[in-house]
């Protein structure tokens, strides 16, 4: 079969489509999934920022109510810094998402950027969330009687958070980024 | 762009360019449930991309780019679909009862066996896009496109000769 014949056979599909689409059903699926995608993509950022802000406000409130010393107020600063960091990163991510590739490679770059972002967030979770939180808790505890149960609970929560983010990083984000980059490299490699 | 205008364009494009999207879906997915899954993914990406469409490119080229990009990064959801193997119940995609040319089936079987990079190039080549157009769509050099396309063509022609000996 010569190539011209293949293109004629290929073009037959323009006359007779292989499938019929139920447009209303498709449209409903798209609009519901579109909303879910946007919701879940933002959930991590908004939830963490909210947790940080609310925790900071609760600590501030408690410090004021109980007339705590200055260190109790200082302890809230890391929480607000965490929230600020998350929001700055979110704004940067959303700004970049406005750009559209224009080519398949451009779209891949866009996906790689998003994947890199998620990978970086989960890989560096210890530094931008856990460490400032631990510092805040440490400052807050200065001058207070040592509470073993509370410390074990907090340490346990930190360890759990650490393992969850490491699993997410290793199982989801890192392989995905690697796959996208490999695809991109294959595309741009000269044949 | 208002959501109603976005919805209007979305429906119009799906209606008018469905054959184009089916070709991509057919080339990348084999099982009916995977085809529907991939078509849905492509449709979602089209929906999201509509507000960013600029009239510099033709709609067909724009949709091809989205379709190929989605298909290239799509992965089959094996586990979810194992339970559904016995019945391929589609919710929005229904196969038409048309007589399919066995040569077209053969062509798709060859496309399925192509590598990740050759597959999109092959689809664009069969669509009649020039090397320059393919280079613009994919984002690689025209010379790279030329070399790859030449290889794909030679491969398809030699495979068709082998298939001819087996009666296709």
């Amino acid at each position: 079969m010569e190539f011209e014949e293949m293109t004629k056979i290929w073009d037959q599909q323009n006359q007779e489509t292989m499938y019929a689409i139920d447009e209303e059903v498709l449209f409903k699926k798209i609009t519901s999934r579109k909303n879910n995608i946007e919701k879940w993509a933002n959930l991590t950022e908004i939830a963490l920022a909210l947790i940080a802000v609310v925790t900071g406000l609760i600590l501030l409130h408690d410090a004021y109510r109980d007339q705590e010393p200055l260190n109790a107020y200082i302890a809230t600063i890391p929480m607000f810094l965490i929230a600020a960091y998350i929001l700055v990163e979110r704004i940067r991510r959303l700004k970049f998402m406005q750009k559209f590739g224009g080519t398949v490679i451009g779209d891949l770059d866009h996906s790689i950027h998003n994947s890199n972002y998620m990978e970086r967030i989960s890989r560096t979770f210890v530094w931008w969330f856990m460490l400032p939180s631990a510092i805040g808790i440490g400052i807050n505890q200065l001058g207070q009687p040592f509470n073993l149960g509370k410390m074990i609970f907090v340490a346990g929560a930190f360890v759990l958070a650490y393992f969850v983010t490491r699993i997410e990083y290793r199982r989801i984000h890192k392989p995905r980024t690697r796959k996208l980059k490999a695809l991109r490299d294959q595309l741009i490699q000269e044949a | 762009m208002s959501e109603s205008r976005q919805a209007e364009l979305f429906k119009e494009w799906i209606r008018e360019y469905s054959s184009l999207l089916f070709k991509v879906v057919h080339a990348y997915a084999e099982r009916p449930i995977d085809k529907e899954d991939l078509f849905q993914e492509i449709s979602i990406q089209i929906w999201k991309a509509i507000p960013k469409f600029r009239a510099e490119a033709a709609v067909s080229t724009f949709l091809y780019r989205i379709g190929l990009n989605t298909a290239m990064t799509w992965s089959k959801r094996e586990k979810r679909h194992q339970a559904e193997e016995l019945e391929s119940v589609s919710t929005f995609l229904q196969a038409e009862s048309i007589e399919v040319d066995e040569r077209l089936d053969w062509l798709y079987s060859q496309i399925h066996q192509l590598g990740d990079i050759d597959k999109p190039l092959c689809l664009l080549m069969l669509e009649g896009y020039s090397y320059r157009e393919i280079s613009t769509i994919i984002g690689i050099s025209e010379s790279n496109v030329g070399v790859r396309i030449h290889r794909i063509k030679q491969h398809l022609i030699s495979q068709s000769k082998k298939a001819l000996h087996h009666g296709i």
Side-chain angles (χ1 to χ4, degrees):
Chain A
M1 193 175 10
E2 290 306 318
F3 181 70
E4 288 70 30
E5 200 180 338
M6 288 183 207
T7 55
K8 277 185 194 156
I9 294 162
W10 185 258
D11 288 340
Q12 281 170 14
Q13 297 172 94
N14 298 336
Q15 272 74 56
E16 275 183 322
T17 53
M18 287 181 270
Y19 302 93
I21 304 172
D22 186 332
E23 287 177 12
E24 285 311 312
V25 172
L26 173 65
F27 189 66
K28 275 185 196 154
K29 276 185 177 274
I30 299 311
T31 43
S32 73
R33 272 203 60 188
K34 166 202 72 113
N35 292 334
N36 283 342
I37 285 163
E38 282 166 9
K39 209 192 297 177
W40 284 107
N42 292 330
L43 190 63
T44 309
E45 289 165 331
I46 293 172
L48 284 175
L50 215 53
I51 287 167
V53 166
V54 167
T55 306
L57 288 173
I58 289 172
L59 290 173
L60 256 181
H61 170 266
D62 287 353
Y64 180 73
R65 181 196 61 194
D66 301 336
Q67 296 185 347
E68 299 272 0
L70 185 63
N71 63 291
Y73 290 92
I74 295 171
T76 66
I77 294 173
M79 301 316 295
F80 294 115
L81 285 176
I82 287 170
Y85 173 77
I86 292 168
L87 291 174
V88 163
E89 286 295 309
R90 177 179 160 75
I91 290 166
R92 280 170 63 181
R93 181 178 69 79
L94 292 176
K95 255 190 188 165
F96 184 85
M97 279 173 69
Q98 297 305 314
K99 297 181 198 171
F100 206 67
T103 63
V104 168
I105 285 190
D107 293 342
L108 269 177
D109 284 338
H110 186 271
S111 301
I112 289 169
H113 177 85
N114 270 338
S115 198
N116 270 338
Y117 171 79
M118 293 307 297
E119 195 187 329
R120 182 166 54 85
I121 289 293
S122 61
R123 192 184 59 209
T124 59
F125 184 72
V126 169
W127 301 107
W128 62 267
F129 190 90
M130 289 177 67
L131 189 61
S133 303
I135 290 170
I137 290 168
I139 295 171
N140 188 263
Q141 291 303 302
L142 287 174
Q144 291 204 21
F146 180 72
N147 184 329
L148 181 63
K150 190 175 170 184
M151 285 298 120
I152 290 173
F153 177 77
V154 169
F158 270 54
V159 167
L160 183 66
Y162 173 76
F163 279 111
V164 166
T165 49
R166 289 305 291 180
I167 288 169
E168 192 187 345
Y169 163 67
R170 282 207 186 116
R171 295 260 176 97
I172 299 170
H173 302 308
K174 193 174 169 186
R176 178 170 162 76
T177 307
R178 200 183 293 159
K179 181 190 167 187
L180 289 170
K181 282 180 177 171
L183 201 53
R184 189 191 189 282
D185 288 345
Q186 277 182 65
L187 259 178
I188 62 172
Q189 191 182 29
E190 291 293 324
Chain B
M1 181 185 285
S2 68
E3 192 153 318
S4 61
R5 174 66 184 144
Q6 193 175 354
E8 194 187 313
L9 267 179
F10 175 79
K11 287 178 181 173
E12 186 187 308
W13 287 359
I14 292 291
R15 206 174 293 137
E16 199 175 329
Y17 298 100
S18 58
S19 62
L20 180 162
L21 300 176
F22 290 148
K23 288 173 191 173
V24 176
V25 164
H26 209 72
Y28 277 88
E30 294 177 67
R31 298 182 305 177
I33 206 82
D34 288 335
K35 285 178 185 166
E36 186 160 295
D37 188 45
L38 178 54
F39 193 93
Q40 195 173 306
E41 287 296 324
I42 293 173
S43 302
I44 289 169
Q45 297 307 317
I46 291 172
W47 170 270
K48 285 161 78 176
I50 286 172
K52 295 166 190 159
F53 174 67
R54 302 285 172 263
E56 294 109 37
V59 175
S60 57
T61 308
F62 182 71
L63 295 180
Y64 237 122
R65 201 187 87 222
I66 294 170
L68 287 175
N69 191 51
T70 310
M72 283 167 74
T73 52
W74 172 78
S75 55
K76 297 168 206 170
R77 299 184 193 185
E78 298 280 353
K79 288 178 187 170
R80 179 160 71 94
H81 294 144
Q82 268 167 13
E84 294 161 352
E85 280 272 12
L86 296 174
E87 325 176 33
S88 50
V89 178
S90 291
T91 56
F92 62 81
L93 218 56
Q94 293 296 332
E96 297 277 46
S97 49
I98 55 167
E99 209 176 301
V100 179
D101 190 331
E102 64 174 4
R103 294 172 301 171
L104 184 61
D105 269 346
W106 173 87
L107 193 50
Y108 271 115
S109 71
Q110 293 304 306
I111 293 171
H112 284 142
Q113 290 171 52
L114 292 174
D116 287 338
I117 306 311
D118 287 344
K119 212 177 271 188
L121 291 174
C122 183
L123 292 179
L124 292 170
M125 170 188 74
L126 287 166
E127 279 298 305
Y129 285 98
S130 67
Y131 287 8
R132 178 171 291 188
E133 285 168 326
I134 295 174
S135 161
T136 307
I137 292 169
I138 302 289
I140 58 176
S141 68
E142 215 175 308
S143 60
N144 198 354
V145 169
V147 170
R148 288 185 186 272
I149 295 264
H150 178 75
R151 275 191 208 155
I152 294 167
K153 272 187 188 174
Q154 295 307 308
H155 171 75
L156 287 177
I157 290 167
S158 76
Q159 289 299 107
S160 76
K161 283 176 181 161
K162 281 183 199 168
L164 191 64
H165 288 305
H166 292 93
I168 295 171

